[in-house]
Amino acid sequence: MYNSKDIKALQEATKEILQNKDFNDVNTLREILRFHEHRYYVLNEPLVSDGEYDRIYKRLEKFEKDNPGSITIDSPTQRVGASLNTEFKTVNHLVPMLSLENSYNPDDLVAWDERLKSLFGGAKVEYSVEPKFDGASLSLLYENDLLERGVTRGNGVAGDDVTLNIRQVGSIPLSADFKKYGIEKIEIRGEVLMNKNSFKEFNEALISEGTPPLANPRNAAAGSLRMKDPSAVRKRKLEAIFYHASFIESTAENKPSLIPSTHSRILELLNQLGFKTPVKEIKVFSTIQQVIAYCLEFETLRDKLSYEIDGMVIKVNQIELQQQAGSTSHHPRWAMAFKFKARQATSKLTNIEYQVGRTGAVTPVAKIEPVHIGGVTVSSVSLFNENIIAEKDIRVGDTVIVERAGDVIPYIVKPLTELRTGKEKKIVFPTQCPVCNTDLVKPEGEAVWRCENINCEAQVVERISHFVSKDAMDIKSLGEANVRKFFSMGIIKDIPSIYNIDFARLSNLEGFGQKSIDNLKSAIENSKKQPLHRLIFGLGIRYVGETTAKALAKSVDSIYELEQLSTEQLSTIKDIGIKVSESIYDFFRNTENTKTVKDLDEFGVNVSGEQKEETKGRLTGNTFLFTGTLPTLKRNEAEQLAEKNGGKILSAVSANLTYLVAGESAGSKLEKAKKIKSVQIINEDEFLNLINS
């Protein structure tokens, strides 16, 4: 539909519109929106972020509102959506799936509230407020209590029939007792989602198989709905959350009182019938000021949710008033989306720098033109390793889509290859350390290049900074900036030297008065009393995070015991697999590392363990790993039950595993366990029998 020349011209026009506040070429605005709708709805390859598209749409909408004579029948504001993907059967919705009018600040909501009050002639309005889930839109039709079909949003009037695929989503009931409430036919709207944990696990599985990871949970959900193999959909652990009943047809004998008269009560009814709805998050308010306060409060909580959300949806709660308000061709007048700060934006990659970490890992960092995402300005983005650069074909000079997701760490989703001019430069990874010029090596089976010079200045400084950090020894007043300053002046040279600082020298430094020096002395002295798991974490052993450090600290009487354990013995400790045990073993084979531990001990740093009395029970001597969704137990409940009865929990499949307890959608761990003869694969019932027999 668009050739490469058209794409470049349209993207340049897009950039001009976004930068020019006075741009009012209405025909160009329309053509730009049609182009980006095609990229988004048909190709699933957007070239702008949602927020950037919305800004252009708002520009056109305002122009047409101010100049009603300019509106054309084919304007993007006069239709619901775009054309359809032709790979699936097209099905009409009973009621069009309209878009929502978006607001980006409280003033928009106040103005909307005033319009509604005027429209309703002073009638009392209730507002329901719920999260705007960031997934793939779906419409379900139920007749005579049975699921008849599932359809994607499509162009809003008709969508793709994906019934076979959505039947694989466990949170979608195949039947529901609607007749109990006098409902014969109902069309329900919702979002298909992949929660953050499932998305992380799925991407880890892809990476372990050598497959590039997916960009974000929304793309994972949308792509799943269009997969040709329904069984593959089931493996993605999708969920569906429903937020609206668009059509209800009553039976002849229906009693009107059985069907709720408010939106919030309808969601409660759906929840009672087995549908996942936002009943815990939904709130009903009588004033727009209360609505605004809840929206702003929820934005601060978004990263704590198990799902990605991109805003809140405010709806007139009374169904009768919704019907009175009606809809435009684009959106219902009775609903408004309050959008949170954008998480994606486009920018230009201008340069690559290389950073050396505390383990010698050399990380490429993309320097981009500063761009505002999610409330912060981003100018540097980690590219992780050479393989990521190659897989995504990222080049210096590329225009890239940058995302700042729930973990707050920005990353490059992809380069926009259609916008290349030929001047972009391929990225050539260095062969020598950018700090000490030592030849880099890539260990077999790893994707990261490393500097193996443990005296490399960058590594030493990073190791010290990690050791004093909040989650390690928590030595306040000795942050990264002071570590670098002290190291460059020779005041500290390694981790043990922190406990032998010449404080007299500090009095001559700017910003170090007597109070600052006393605070630093106190912080260093207090760090000696930290529990062992903080010391283990602070030592910076590869693959040893806080959880693993705690498990190690509970398994020994002192840190010196770790020096004596074999990889096999280490692997029997909770949360420690083969790769981690080998890393711990190698760490304590290094004489400089064991000298560091001894020096810290001599300076009075606590090296004693945190052992707890081992529980004895029917499962004593056996190790367990749980995978997939169990019929009745949550994973943490099953693990606690195993430990309560003397079992130990492992974090990965290995020859040290006695039982793999597999539930639905067990995935790669089950396949790996099948290849190890000593591992017994059992289900939840068999696991419970081990305890109760």
Side-chain angles (χ1 to χ4, degrees), residues 338-374:
F338 179 81
K339 299 296 286 289
F340 293 156
K341 295 180 182 69
R343 295 295 190 107
Q344 276 193 352
T346 53
S347 183
K348 176 156 286 191
L349 195 161
T350 58
N351 191 25
I352 299 291
E353 295 181 357
Y354 297 90
Q355 296 180 348
V356 182
R358 58 185 169 83
T359 63
V362 178
T363 303
V365 178
K367 309 302 288 186
I368 63 172
E369 292 179 352
V371 61
H372 201 64
I373 312 175

Side-chain angles (χ1 to χ4, degrees), residues 211-344:
T211 304
L214 299 176
N216 52 53
R218 179 180 59 182
N219 287 3
S224 301
L225 291 181
R226 291 174 171 81
M227 295 179 74
K228 294 180 179 179
D229 180 7
S231 64
V233 178
R234 193 173 188 82
K235 295 178 181 178
R236 294 203 173 190
K237 298 182 181 179
L238 300 177
E239 299 178 40
I241 298 180
F242 296 93
Y243 50 75
H244 182 55
S246 55
F247 176 88
I248 297 177
E249 184 177 285
S250 305
T251 55
E253 66 274 12
N254 173 50
K255 297 177 182 178
S257 61
L258 294 179
I259 299 177
S261 60
T262 64
H263 167 71
S264 57
R265 289 288 298 153
I266 285 178
L267 292 192
E268 289 177 11
L269 171 61
L270 292 176
N271 190 257
Q272 291 168 10
L273 290 170
F275 294 86
K276 183 174 284 190
T277 66
V279 289
K280 291 183 180 179
E281 295 87 3
I282 194 169
K283 300 280 186 182
V284 177
F285 301 104
S286 58
T287 71
I288 201 67
Q289 287 73 26
Q290 292 170 325
V291 168
I292 291 168
Y294 187 55
C295 289
L296 296 176
E297 176 191 355
F298 218 94
E299 184 167 13
T300 66
L301 303 174
R302 65 188 296 193
D303 291 335
K304 297 180 181 179
L305 299 177
S306 58
Y307 301 98
E308 291 289 356
I309 65 172
D310 59 359
M312 303 294 283
V313 179
I314 304 98
K315 301 172 184 176
V316 172
N317 197 36
Q318 302 100 313
I319 304 300
E320 183 179 350
L321 291 183
Q322 288 185 8
Q323 294 169 347
Q324 184 179 332
S327 305
T328 70
S329 61
H330 177 263
H331 61 265
R333 294 189 182 93
W334 46 265
M336 174 79 80
F338 179 81
K339 299 296 286 289
F340 293 156
K341 295 180 182 69
R343 295 295 190 107
Q344 276 193 352

Side-chain angles (χ1 to χ4, degrees), residues 56-71:
I56 301 171
Y57 186 95
K58 284 282 188 182
R59 184 79 61 84
L60 175 60
E61 189 176 49
K62 184 178 186 305
F63 184 93
E64 291 182 345
K65 182 180 179 181
D66 295 340
N67 303 274
S70 69
I71 300 175

Side-chain angles (χ1 to χ4, degrees), residues 442-586:
K442 183 191 287 187
E444 186 177 351
E446 293 191 13
V448 177
W449 286 94
R450 295 185 183 277
C451 168
E452 293 195 327
N453 174 15
I454 61 174
N455 295 313
C456 172
E457 180 177 320
Q459 292 182 53
V460 176
V461 170
E462 289 293 335
R463 283 198 293 271
I464 297 172
S465 296
H466 174 73
F467 184 84
V468 303
S469 66
K470 180 180 179 181
D471 294 326
M473 299 301 279
D474 192 21
I475 303 179
K476 297 178 177 63
S477 305
L478 192 56
E480 184 177 347
N482 282 334
V483 167
R484 293 186 182 281
K485 180 189 291 187
F486 291 179
F487 185 87
S488 66
M489 296 178 64
I491 294 174
I492 57 176
K493 58 183 176 60
D494 53 24
I495 287 173
S497 66
I498 294 170
Y499 297 94
N500 195 32
I501 288 178
D502 181 358
F503 291 102
R505 290 185 62 184
L506 300 188
S507 60
N508 298 320
L509 298 180
E510 184 180 349
F512 276 88
Q514 190 57 47
K515 185 175 181 180
S516 297
I517 293 174
D518 289 343
N519 287 340
L520 179 56
K521 280 183 180 179
S522 177
I524 291 174
E525 194 62 30
N526 288 337
S527 74
K528 296 178 181 180
K529 304 171 188 175
Q530 292 283 16
L532 179 59
H533 72 266
R534 283 180 171 269
L535 172 60
I536 294 173
F537 178 61
L539 290 173
I541 306 170
R542 284 183 68 192
Y543 309 126
V544 175
E546 293 176 73
T547 300
T548 302
K550 289 178 180 178
L552 288 169
K554 290 177 182 177
S555 68
V556 295
D557 287 322
S558 81
I559 195 170
Y560 293 113
E561 284 187 30
L562 294 177
E563 299 179 17
Q564 311 303 320
L565 297 178
S566 65
T567 54
E568 291 76 13
Q569 291 170 320
L570 288 164
S571 294
T572 64
I573 301 172
K574 179 184 177 181
D575 293 320
I576 297 179
I578 293 297
K579 184 168 68 172
V580 180
S581 65
E582 289 177 347
S583 176
I584 297 168
Y585 181 83
D586 290 343

Side-chain angles (χ1 to χ4, degrees), residues 186-229:
I186 185 170
E187 188 176 57
I188 305 170
R189 302 282 160 77
E191 296 279 310
V192 173
L193 308 151
M194 182 180 284
N195 69 46
K196 294 175 183 177
N197 286 336
S198 295
F199 177 70
K200 181 181 178 182
E201 290 178 2
F202 187 74
N203 263 353
E204 287 174 350
L206 290 179
I207 293 170
S208 68
E209 296 166 0
T211 304
L214 299 176
N216 52 53
R218 179 180 59 182
N219 287 3
S224 301
L225 291 181
R226 291 174 171 81
M227 295 179 74
K228 294 180 179 179
D229 180 7

Side-chain angles (χ1 to χ4, degrees), residues 595-651:
K595 183 179 184 301
T596 293
V597 171
K598 184 178 179 181
D599 289 345
L600 290 173
D601 185 10
E602 290 178 353
F603 279 121
V605 175
N606 174 49
V607 295
S608 297
E610 304 162 24
Q611 282 205 57
K612 292 185 177 180
E613 186 176 346
E614 188 173 316
T615 303
K616 301 291 183 180
R618 291 181 180 273
L619 305 184
T620 299
N622 295 306
T623 57
F624 293 82
L625 177 61
F626 297 85
T627 184
T629 304
L630 301 179
T632 64
L633 294 172
K634 293 180 180 179
R635 188 173 301 181
N636 64 328
E637 293 174 340
E639 290 178 349
Q640 290 172 10
L641 192 57
E643 289 181 323
K644 182 180 178 181
N645 287 275
K648 289 187 176 181
I649 308 300
L650 300 188
S651 60

